[in-house]
Amino acid sequence: MLDTCKLKSACNLPFVYNKKINTAGTSNADVPLADPGMYQLDITLRRGQSLAARDRGGTSDPYVKFKIGGKEVFRSKIIHKNLNPVWEEKACILVEHLREPLYVKVFDYDFGLQDDFMGSAFLDLTQLELNRPTDVTLTLKDPHYPDHYLGIILLSIILTPKEGEHRDVTMLMRKSWKRSSKFQTQSLRLSDVHRKSQLWRGIVSITLIEGRDLKAMDSNGLSDPYVKFRLGHQKYKSKIMPKTLNPQWREQFDFHLYEERGGIIDITAWDKDAGKRDDFIGRCQVDLSALSREQTHKLELQLEEGEGHLVLLVTLTASATVSISDLSVNSLEDQKEREEILRRYSPLRIFHNLKDVGFLQVKVIRAEGLMVADVTGKSDPFCVVELNNDRLLTHTVYKNLNPEWNKIFTFNIKDIHSVLEVTVYDEDRDRSADFLGKVAIPLLSIQNGEQKAYVLKNKQLTGPTKGVIYLEIDVIFNAVKASLRTLIPKEQKYIEEENRLSKQLLLRNFNRMKRCVMVLVNAAYYINSCFDWDSPPRSLAAFVLFLFVVWNFELYMIPLVLLLLLTWNYFLIISGKDNRQRDTVVEDMLEDEEEEDDKDDKDSEKKGFINKIYAIQEVCISVQNILDEVASFGERIKNTFNWTVPFLSWLAIAALCVGTVILYFIPLRYIVLVWGINKFTKKLRSPYAIDNNELLDFLSRVPSDVQVVQYQELKPDPSHSPCKRKKNNLG
């Protein structure tokens, strides 16, 4: 039997709440407040009712914050234009003691302005029953206007004691988007029971095909729609399709499936509006538990709270080979397992599962000389290992600047051009984790079986920070599969920081594009000087070459010239005459280091003037991104011919050889005929095929000059040599 009663806050504050209690439970009211044990607080934020209207239209865009001891521990998603919002969001919070009440605050989200306060309430944790689900109704109040009724918030809470389980445990990082479009890492200490929660049990492959008859949100009778997907903490945002009610996206991406029973994918459609808040078009959901495994499902989903349909393809597959183990459990040292892995990626299995390109094993051994992050002069470091959207974590080593993890991580490689990112954080129980250092290692640059000391870099990967990390990495892959995968679209990270306006970044991108343009300008000046006979011998040689080439020109000579250029640069490099220069890019990037993101993470409620002129900011960001794309395109072409990534340059040589032979032996009209037939019949043969350009997909794998600097390995101090360390230990 449930009954309702009123409880007072431990601080005797005027905010009250109603709580439904099962009288058969064990009360926690008599637990001593100085109890040193840990408690796990599992909260489900259900919904709000009759919330206060803060917008002109008589509605609000509410979201909820949870605070304990003055620290924000949870922030909900925003429910737009709703005074009776339904969240159904879960939060897991570890509490050292029950003295501090849970402080619940509700705000109305205002894009680019100060968010409006909608009420708050306290929950006295000492009044909760242990190990009992409790339904709680919080009455919102405003301390300045205590007589105003601001609605209620409904929660479900379970308080569980955690005795002696909070030391040797694994960290779980949850990425949650903040309103400033940046994510922060929420860290929780979990028991061994929950340690496996970071290992996914399957892959959800989603293809967003199209939208049909979407609601017109703009004055011209059209919309600029895009779609957001969310599965747990994983998020993906589609590209924007301008001025259409029947958009064709043709985008494919993957989510990890952590729940055996599936999960719910939340889907929302939006209309992009420059300079103001985007308009909500509609929402829908996909219940993965209702879908069969290893089968592609075509779904036509009706948008609720709006108009139109979304068409998706959804496929659930078993999990790839992803694991975490101790250093003593090494699959590559087991001869049978190693032979099985080598057989799986042998040249004879080229067409077996083209998505499975290779196998990656990362040994995270230890770190030395890390940065001090705590007031005690120590840190609580843990390590995050990322490969594209695959993210695994080590346990935390407490109060140590020279931690030893001795963990082995294994991943399946879907793209050999991926970059392995290893980041070290300092765990803070009541706030976001502190950054200690990071390294980015392209898979193609890895030397198998070699234990190396990598100097940790700053967040921008432009310069060193304090400490080194010892890694031993092995990569096994099928070169033919890797080459074929190079010609399809690159996997996009679904958790990524959005671009911000930066004066230094804008200037750097402008200078990069200027250098690319100046190459063309200088080439034009050089050709013009031949016409002007500034140097008679050079002009005479150019004139003879012009007559010879034009008289004997054949189409196959175009790829042949590019092939000769690649070969010439290759021999220059192996002969030691490499003239590749990137010093100016390094200087530009070092100037950007003064711009740090930490201040945004510490206080998300302070609004800068830049948010109030959002329209100008958005235009500047677009210009900044366009400059980056143009400069990167030119740099990638240059780096292909400069042999920056030998695998890609050899692949280009193979493609140019094939192109030269085809153009030499096959008339052009037959080549154009085959190309046209393929283009016209592609949609008939494969209606849901994702459009792509093989040349652009190839260039997307070639690093720009900025990425080359970021992936550059810094030389460690000789004292950090593994061999020297062993000798010192023996001595």
Side-chain angles (χ1 to χ4, degrees), residues 556 559 655-668 671:
Y556 72 86
L656 290 172
C657 287
V658 172
T660 302
V661 171
I662 290 175
L663 288 171
Y664 184 82
F665 288 104
I666 302 176
L668 180 61
I671 297 173

Side-chain angles (χ1 to χ4, degrees), residues 190-231:
L190 301 179
S191 66
D192 288 342
V193 176
H194 297 122
R195 183 174 294 179
K196 295 181 181 178
S197 62
Q198 60 170 310
L199 295 178
W200 46 96
R201 303 172 185 272
I203 303 294
V204 185
S205 180
I206 303 171
T207 304
L208 173 60
I209 302 297
E210 62 186 3
R212 298 176 184 168
D213 304 321
L214 300 184
K215 187 176 181 180
M217 306 302 293
D218 296 337
S219 57
N220 58 6
L222 299 173
S223 292
D224 305 307
Y226 65 92
V227 181
K228 291 181 179 180
F229 295 81
R230 178 172 179 171
L231 177 61

Side-chain angles (χ1 to χ4, degrees), residues 12 30 55 76 78 83 108 157 184 207 348 394 402 413 439 474 497 519 557 580:
N12 292 323
D30 299 327
D55 295 338
S76 76
I78 300 165
L83 298 182
D108 167 55
I157 300 178
Q184 62 178 351
T207 304
L348 300 177
T394 68
N402 302 289
I413 300 172
V439 292
D474 290 272
E497 182 179 329
V519 171
M557 293 181 180
R580 293 174 286 182

Side-chain angles (χ1 to χ4, degrees), residues 274-314:
K276 59 180 181 177
R277 184 185 305 165
D278 295 348
D279 296 321
F280 176 75
I281 295 179
R283 71 173 72 246
C284 56
Q285 290 184 331
V286 176
D287 185 357
L288 297 178
S289 63
L291 303 180
S292 56
R293 304 282 178 122
E294 310 298 337
Q295 180 181 344
T296 299
H297 304 268
K298 180 185 176 184
L299 306 177
E300 296 187 16
L301 304 174
Q302 171 72 46
L303 289 176
E304 301 173 4
E305 304 177 32
E307 299 174 7
H309 297 77
L310 294 179
V311 180
L312 312 176
L313 298 180
V314 181

Side-chain angles (χ1 to χ4, degrees), residues 513-530:
M513 192 188 76
K514 181 181 176 182
R515 283 193 293 270
C516 295
V517 172
M518 287 307 297
V519 171
L520 301 178
V521 171
N522 291 334
Y525 279 135
Y526 184 85
I527 295 172
N528 193 59
S529 70
C530 293

Side-chain angles (χ1 to χ4, degrees), residues 326-339 341 359 361 363 408 449 472 474 476:
D326 292 324
L327 210 56
S328 58
V329 184
N330 188 345
S331 58
L332 290 181
E333 289 181 358
D334 187 310
Q335 191 60 32
K336 289 185 178 180
E337 286 195 41
R338 186 179 183 89
E339 289 176 358
I341 293 171
F359 172 85
Q361 177 178 281
K363 293 182 183 178
I408 296 179
E472 184 178 325
D474 290 272
I476 298 172

